[in-house]
Amino acid sequence: WDAVFRTHVGGTWLWARAAVPQMQRQRSGSIVTVASQLAIAGGRGNSAYIAAKGAIVSLTRTMAVDFAGDGIRVNAIAPGAIETPLLKRSFARHEDSETARETSRNRHAVKRFGKAEEVAEAALYLASDASSFTTGIVLPVDGGWLAA
């Protein structure tokens, strides 16, 4: 529990704290944090991770309000299941990993897992001036997981 919170929540807070003073000096900036669709939907058997990602959502919204007057926008992306080594290890924990993989894949409205590049594009949007009127939001990049 402590290690997961230290990594996810503590790590997010530490890098944001390091970046904010420069952003305050320049009176602009954009912070994009990484949550998870599980922070919104919940899930089984992963309470520390899901709670930590939920804390990042709350931290993001709080920082958005705290730093808006400094010209700093703070938003989160909430990826769904993304084809990464971490996802592969997650399925490997199951007795029947292939069935677990197919069940998860089919849970997504688009019937596939996401790509890292798709998450990066969402983060790029939130970091760019194209989202200049956007702060305090959580953008799901989840292939319709939350909609299904």
Side-chain angles (χ1 to χ4, degrees):
W1 182 274
D2 290 341
V4 170
F5 265 76
R6 203 170 28 256
T7 299
H8 294 281
V9 183
T12 299
W13 180 77
L14 285 171
W15 73 256
R17 184 180 78 167
V20 163
Q22 177 59 40
M23 291 178 179
Q24 287 172 318
R25 284 191 291 277
Q26 65 193 28
R27 304 286 303 151
S28 71
S30 177
I31 294 172
V32 180
T33 64
V34 181
S36 168
Q37 106 276 359
L38 294 174
I40 301 163
R44 288 190 175 98
N46 211 353
S47 60
Y49 176 82
I50 295 169
K53 292 302 188 173
I56 290 171
V57 168
S58 293
L59 178 62
T60 298
R61 289 184 174 139
T62 300
M63 288 191 305
V65 172
D66 287 348
F67 300 124
D70 296 316
I72 301 169
R73 296 178 299 104
V74 186
N75 295 290
I77 51 176
I82 307 300
E83 281 287 358
T84 63
L86 179 63
L87 185 65
K88 187 175 182 176
R89 286 193 306 272
S90 174
F91 292 131
R93 294 187 318 218
H94 295 270
E95 188 173 311
D96 183 352
S97 61
E98 194 53 42
T99 297
R101 181 178 174 77
E102 285 304 303
T103 299
S104 179
R105 188 179 60 75
N106 287 326
R107 171 68 172 80
H108 294 76
V110 298
K111 304 298 184 208
R112 68 174 178 85
F113 297 124
K115 300 174 193 162
E117 297 82 3
E118 292 168 316
V119 177
E121 289 292 332
L124 181 61
Y125 164 71
L126 290 175
S128 76
D129 289 338
S131 65
S132 63
F133 195 60
T134 304
T135 194
I137 65 112
V138 179
L139 176 61
V141 184
D142 68 352
W145 176 284
L146 292 170

